[in-house]
Amino acid sequence: MSMPTILPTGQLHPDLFAVVEDTLHLSLMSVGSGNAFHSWHVETENGITSIYARDVLVSPLYSSGDTELEIPLKGVQEVWLGGRSGQLVWQNGVQSPHWLWS
């Protein structure tokens, strides 16, 4: 069974983005009040880190889409939300210009 991905449709908004001592500190929050995310999963393969989560409706079990992640960057060239078919967050030491900060 494959992990459902976070779609790159503006469902998440970055609240914090910093690189400290080869670690990416990323804080994400849900844009929509009806969306929640859970079961966050980070995997790195061949220098590409992918961040996945399950997207569900807000409920008593899942009341928030917010999360804080620390991603080790040693040997990493790219970080993506939802894998390579998702949204590029960071590449070779630079925040992606396509990452929305509105």
Side-chain angles (χ1 to χ4, degrees):
M1 178 167 74
S2 64
M3 173 67 68
T5 63
I6 298 169
L7 302 175
T9 56
Q11 293 180 9
L12 291 169
H13 177 72
D15 191 36
L16 171 70
F17 183 102
V19 177
V20 178
E21 296 181 10
D22 291 331
T23 300
L24 174 64
H25 298 267
L26 188 59
S27 179
L28 302 168
M29 62 184 201
S30 178
V31 173
S33 61
N35 292 86
F37 297 94
H38 70 94
S39 301
W40 292 90
H41 176 73
V42 178
E43 64 183 39
T44 300
E45 185 176 320
N46 298 322
I48 298 171
T49 296
S50 298
I51 302 167
Y52 300 101
R54 295 189 186 273
D55 180 6
V56 296
L57 293 175
V58 170
S59 71
L61 292 175
Y62 306 108
S63 60
S64 175
D66 303 351
T67 193
E68 292 184 10
L69 301 169
E70 292 186 357
I71 302 164
L73 295 175
K74 185 175 182 177
V76 172
Q77 291 87 39
E78 297 176 352
V79 176
W80 291 79
L81 282 177
R84 293 206 49 147
S85 63
Q87 188 171 13
L88 181 64
V89 175
W90 180 91
Q91 184 176 39
N92 295 321
V94 179
Q95 168 194 338
S96 170
H98 302 291
W99 184 252
L100 301 175
W101 291 94
S102 56

